[in-house]
Amino acid sequence: MADTSGHADTKGSGSTAGPPGNTAGTESGPSSRKSSWKYIGPGIVVAATGVGAGDLVATLIAGSNFGYTLLWAAVIGCLVKISLAEAAGRWHLSTGRTLFDGWASLGRWTSWFFVVYVVIWGFVYGAAAMSSSGLPLQALFPDVMDLKWWAILTGLVGLVFVWFNKYAVFEKVMTVLVGVMFVVTVYLAIRVTPHLGETFAGLLPVLPDEKDSILNTLGLIGGVGGTITLAAYGYWVNAKGWTNTGWMKVMRLDNRVAYITTGIFVIAMLFVGAELLHSSNVAIASGDKGLIQLGDILEDEYGTATAKFFLIGFFATSFTSLIGVWHGVSLMFADFVERFRKDRAAAAGAAGATPASGEEVASGTHEKSWPFRAYLLWLTFPPMVLLFQGQPFRLIILYGVLGAAFLPFLALTLVWLLNSSRTPPEWRNGLLSNAMLTIAGLLFVVLCVKQIWDQPWKDFF
């Protein structure tokens, strides 16, 4: 296809004008836009959402325990996620159908898995995201109110922001917060003065000489940059107005930017863990409170200003994950409900029941629909109970199992969809895509089995 830049994009033959970024088509099909930095957007959103406080703590602990030894694993983790997000975006653009519509074509079991997952996962994640966003605010303003009230405030702000704004405003705010994250993490990495020789040595694939080093390494690879947000990437691509193969080059550049950005965040925090914690034999707690500990260590080493600066970056990291999930997973849930309604209409013999399409997402109707807003409310209000009562034991186990199962589900279903007749031949997986997605699927299956094995099942029953 001929490349054009700055000209109207087109759809397939006979199509009519669509949402911004797409105009009437010709018989030759959509023209291919040149990959250009000016279009970048969904990748920034998926990077910001995918890198949460938990990812930063996991990377800090890896640096604290092993120095630079596992730097190569963090890089591979980014490459694996590039493959997954690219595959999700390619499905949306090449077929014009949403990812959930693709899943539904594989059988009803996918719908059951998805709905159970988003209901349980959303309930527990809502509390975790609000708490994570409230922690740095409580540390910045310690005498104002308790953590649970800060958490509730961040949840309500996220709800109002996503409820009243469409994708374009959401993307702009996420970009600003990513800028804050980027400046803070890079500043910290420079401030701790990494040893370049050890850094380059860390790019060699060497396993630490410790118990369970293989599983710990696989965990670092699998934990870099998002779970369900990888599936949401295709929806954000559509919400941007990219709905056909003319945007494929742009999407691929956008996706690479996403995971280069993610890589910078992760590597910067590995530097901090290696230099500030590993060299001093300082251990921090897992989970979000580990970042509060890091803030105290930074204050002792570099002063109050650096500690405050870090807490601002911590808040940006947590809050982007919160509003990213509030928007992206709500889009997916709205698509699930729309597909369910269309299936019922088709079963009743209604005319015009068609598959869910990227055009619907691009039109912005999902963002104002009742299922979108219902899931927003589900993410915000029921989880507040957990902030006061603590997280129920059995629910946390189910949350861990479902969360561990989602990435194998995503990787293996993408292999299935993108090698079948559901995808146009020219956009099916090549050898490299199949290899990366298969490796990702196997990696996540191993991590899923470990996660399930490690759950305290004897206390569950």
Side-chain angles (χ1 to χ4, degrees), residues 400-423:
V401 170
L402 287 169
F406 185 80
L407 281 176
F409 168 78
L410 175 62
L412 298 175
T413 54
L414 283 171
V415 170
W416 191 347
L417 289 170
L418 292 167
N419 284 288
S420 72
S421 59
R422 298 171 181 85
T423 305

Side-chain angles (χ1 to χ4, degrees), residues 225-431:
T227 52
I228 196 170
T229 54
L230 289 161
Y233 178 63
Y235 288 84
W236 285 322
V237 163
N238 286 158
K240 180 75 169 175
W242 306 348
T243 57
N244 57 50
T245 56
W247 291 98
M248 196 71 75
K249 288 182 180 179
V250 175
M251 181 276 293
R252 284 171 166 162
L253 174 64
D254 179 75
N255 179 46
R256 292 184 193 112
V257 169
Y259 283 95
I260 289 172
T261 305
T262 299
I264 290 171
F265 291 150
V266 170
I267 290 169
M269 294 311 287
L270 193 93
F271 285 178
V272 174
E275 293 296 340
L276 195 61
L277 305 179
H278 181 68
S279 59
S280 305
N281 290 319
V282 175
I284 62 170
S286 59
D288 300 338
K289 291 185 178 178
L291 292 184
I292 297 296
Q293 285 182 267
L294 178 63
D296 294 337
I297 294 167
L298 288 169
E299 184 169 9
D300 292 339
E301 289 284 331
Y302 302 114
T304 302
T306 296
K308 299 290 186 188
F309 189 50
F310 166 72
L311 289 172
I312 292 169
F314 176 7
F315 171 74
T317 301
S318 297
F319 194 64
T320 50
S321 293
L322 186 151
I323 60 175
V325 167
W326 264 228
H327 187 275
V329 184
S330 297
L331 267 182
M332 295 181 71
F333 184 77
D335 186 39
F336 160 74
V337 174
E338 183 65 21
R339 169 76 196 203
F340 179 75
R341 292 166 64 186
K342 287 184 176 182
D343 282 350
R344 291 190 65 180
T354 57
S357 72
E359 295 285 356
E360 292 177 76
V361 179
S363 71
T365 56
H366 281 357
E367 292 168 281
K368 300 301 179 185
S369 67
W370 72 261
F372 181 91
R373 289 176 166 174
Y375 194 72
L376 265 180
L377 296 173
W378 175 253
L379 282 167
T380 307
F381 289 106
M384 289 180 184
V385 175
L386 303 184
L387 298 174
F388 289 91
Q389 296 186 352
Q391 298 183 347
F393 178 72
R394 289 182 176 85
L395 192 62
I396 295 302
I397 291 179
L398 292 175
Y399 169 79
V401 170
L402 287 169
F406 185 80
L407 281 176
F409 168 78
L410 175 62
L412 298 175
T413 54
L414 283 171
V415 170
W416 191 347
L417 289 170
L418 292 167
N419 284 288
S420 72
S421 59
R422 298 171 181 85
T423 305
E426 63 270 31
W427 299 112
R428 290 176 195 165
N429 279 355
L431 184 62

Side-chain angles (χ1 to χ4, degrees), residues 5-289:
S5 181
H7 297 80
D9 191 20
T10 55
K11 300 179 202 168
S13 175
S15 64
T16 57
N22 296 274
T23 58
T26 65
E27 293 185 2
S28 61
S31 59
S32 177
R33 287 183 180 268
K34 290 181 180 178
S35 54
S36 171
W37 293 96
K38 69 181 180 180
Y39 296 125
I40 297 303
I44 297 297
V45 172
V46 78
T49 307
V51 179
D55 296 289
L56 296 188
V57 172
T59 311
L60 270 172
I61 291 174
S64 173
N65 291 340
F66 307 118
Y68 294 97
T69 305
L70 292 180
L71 179 60
W72 64 272
V75 173
I76 289 178
C78 289
L79 294 176
V80 166
K81 299 297 177 65
I82 283 175
S83 301
L84 282 166
E86 187 275 340
R90 177 155 46 93
W91 166 264
H92 277 250
L93 294 182
S94 65
T95 65
R97 299 162 65 186
T98 63
L99 184 55
F100 184 81
D101 190 64
W103 285 338
S105 73
L106 301 178
R108 192 162 295 191
W109 65 275
T110 59
S111 299
W112 283 110
F113 174 80
F114 178 79
V115 72
V116 171
Y117 175 80
V118 295
V119 169
I120 295 177
W121 181 88
F123 182 56
V124 179
Y125 181 83
M130 288 188 278
S131 180
S132 179
S133 297
L135 266 174
L137 292 177
Q138 187 194 34
L140 284 165
F141 309 103
D143 300 321
V144 176
M145 53 186 172
D146 290 339
L147 171 61
K148 58 180 174 288
W149 297 113
W150 280 116
I152 288 171
L153 178 62
T154 61
L156 293 175
V157 169
L159 170 69
V160 171
F161 171 71
V162 175
W163 188 290
F164 289 105
N165 289 292
K166 286 194 174 183
Y167 175 80
V169 176
F170 165 71
E171 183 190 286
K172 287 182 174 64
V173 171
M174 292 288 273
T175 301
V176 170
L177 292 172
V178 166
V180 173
M181 292 168 60
F182 188 88
V183 170
V184 170
T185 53
V186 171
Y187 166 77
L188 289 178
I190 294 171
R191 191 69 193 265
V192 299
T193 318
H195 290 81
L196 294 181
E198 294 179 20
T199 301
F200 288 119
L203 294 173
L204 296 174
V206 175
L207 291 173
D209 186 20
E210 297 198 16
K211 182 184 177 182
D212 294 333
S213 63
I214 293 177
L215 289 174
N216 289 333
T217 303
L218 292 178
L220 180 61
I221 293 172
V224 176
T227 52
I228 196 170
T229 54
L230 289 161
Y233 178 63
Y235 288 84
W236 285 322
V237 163
N238 286 158
K240 180 75 169 175
W242 306 348
T243 57
N244 57 50
T245 56
W247 291 98
M248 196 71 75
K249 288 182 180 179
V250 175
M251 181 276 293
R252 284 171 166 162
L253 174 64
D254 179 75
N255 179 46
R256 292 184 193 112
V257 169
Y259 283 95
I260 289 172
T261 305
T262 299
I264 290 171
F265 291 150
V266 170
I267 290 169
M269 294 311 287
L270 193 93
F271 285 178
V272 174
E275 293 296 340
L276 195 61
L277 305 179
H278 181 68
S279 59
S280 305
N281 290 319
V282 175
I284 62 170
S286 59
D288 300 338
K289 291 185 178 178

